[in-house]
Amino acid sequence: GAVVSQHPSRVICKSGTSVKIECRSLDFQATTMFWYRQFPKQSLMLMATSNEGSKATYEQGVEKDKFLINHASLTLSTLTVTSAHPEDSSFYICSARTSGGTISSADTQYFGPGTRLTVL
Amino acid sequence: GEDVEQSLFLSVREGDSSVINCTYTDSSSTYLYWYKQEPGAGLQLLTYIFSNMDMKQDQRLTVLLNKKDKHLSLRIADTQTGDSAIYFCAKRPGNTGKLIFGQGTTLQVKP
């Protein structure tokens, strides 16, 4: 149980285009999903917290107009990188937090496999 | 603000024990986690501990927490080549749901 998927796993796009990344919780409902960015050989940087049915909360320094987040259902959140530039190339990872119940009392976050974005 | 720190690299021989260390700055009651990341993949939850516990053991994994020193460790017994990965400790401050990650420790297991 507690499987989170991301799609696509890898995407290459031209500078100036927009890219949408999907994050799905497959076997549980996730009231909250998180989006992280990871640079090579570095830790994960939290970009935003996505709550189902409400606006995302962005971390300081993250442009909300550039990284659009939509959390339309309890199992799906999307991150759209608008007008992508080479500096947006990175590994984007989402995680889903269980809404309670039997998965874990530690309110654990379960991570997707990540999406490698390369902007040419 | 909150800070979580780890050493960056650890090399061990197959069959030995590995000990990965982590320190943090905030002492509020919370959960602390260990995640494993293999190359090009997402993070896999290994184990977690609540801050009122001293130790938690799960098969080959032992987590030790020294709350006074704000020090967390992950011991992997009988380390195998398949354990080679980056290990992240993470702390959840309060009830925010956010995770603060350390820099990650790259574990290299030599045959």
Side-chain angles (χ1 to χ4, degrees):
Chain A
V3 177
V4 176
S5 70
Q6 279 185 243
H7 178 80
S9 58
R10 185 182 294 267
V11 58
I12 300 172
C13 69
K14 292 182 179 179
S15 185
T17 60
S18 294
V19 175
K20 180 185 283 189
I21 302 170
E22 292 185 350
C23 177
R24 293 182 185 272
S25 56
L26 298 185
D27 50 2
F28 65 99
Q29 293 186 328
T31 53
T32 305
M33 290 184 173
F34 301 87
W35 287 96
Y36 295 84
R37 184 173 179 176
Q38 185 180 30
F39 292 100
K41 299 187 188 302
Q42 293 190 27
S43 188
L44 281 74
M45 182 193 80
L46 178 64
M47 297 174 65
T49 302
S50 168
N51 293 299
E52 186 264 337
S54 64
K55 289 184 179 179
T57 303
Y58 289 82
E59 295 300 300
Q60 193 173 5
V62 177
E63 298 176 59
K64 62 180 181 181
D65 294 330
K66 180 162 186 65
F67 298 100
L68 300 179
I69 291 172
N70 183 278
H71 193 158
S73 76
L74 285 171
T75 58
L76 173 64
S77 176
T78 60
L79 168 68
T80 302
V81 183
T82 62
S83 187
H85 290 282
E87 57 266 28
D88 298 324
S89 298
S90 191
F91 194 53
Y92 292 88
I93 306 177
C94 73
S95 70
R97 176 186 180 189
T98 58
S99 57
T102 60
I103 297 286
S104 168
S105 61
D107 204 18
T108 307
Q109 289 185 33
Y110 294 91
F111 285 78
T115 297
R116 173 74 59 193
L117 170 63
T118 303
V119 185
L120 302 176
Chain B
E2 306 257 10
D3 201 13
V4 178
E5 293 195 357
Q6 300 176 238
S7 52
L8 296 181
F9 186 79
L10 175 65
S11 180
V12 301
R13 292 215 171 271
E14 191 173 18
D16 289 349
S17 292
S18 307
V19 179
I20 302 171
N21 295 300
C22 175
T23 58
Y24 56 94
T25 56
D26 178 60
S27 58
S28 60
S29 296
T30 187
Y31 284 95
L32 298 119
Y33 305 82
W34 283 104
Y35 285 90
K36 175 184 179 182
Q37 184 181 35
E38 297 187 21
L43 274 68
Q44 173 195 354
L45 175 67
L46 290 178
T47 187
Y48 61 88
I49 190 169
F50 189 61
S51 55
N52 67 355
M53 298 168 65
D54 299 321
M55 186 190 85
K56 181 177 180 180
Q57 186 162 4
D58 184 3
Q59 299 182 341
R60 292 192 297 124
L61 305 179
T62 303
V63 178
L64 294 177
L65 176 61
N66 183 326
K67 194 174 180 180
K68 175 175 172 288
D69 293 339
K70 299 176 191 173
H71 181 268
L72 180 74
S73 68
L74 174 69
R75 178 177 181 270
I76 306 173
D78 187 25
T79 313
Q80 303 296 307
T81 54
D83 294 325
S84 294
I86 301 175
Y87 291 81
F88 290 94
C89 70
K91 182 177 184 291
R92 178 158 71 89
N95 290 318
T96 64
K98 298 180 185 181
L99 289 178
I100 309 296
F101 283 89
Q103 308 95 312
T105 300
T106 298
L107 175 63
Q108 178 189 67
V109 182
K110 296 179 180 178

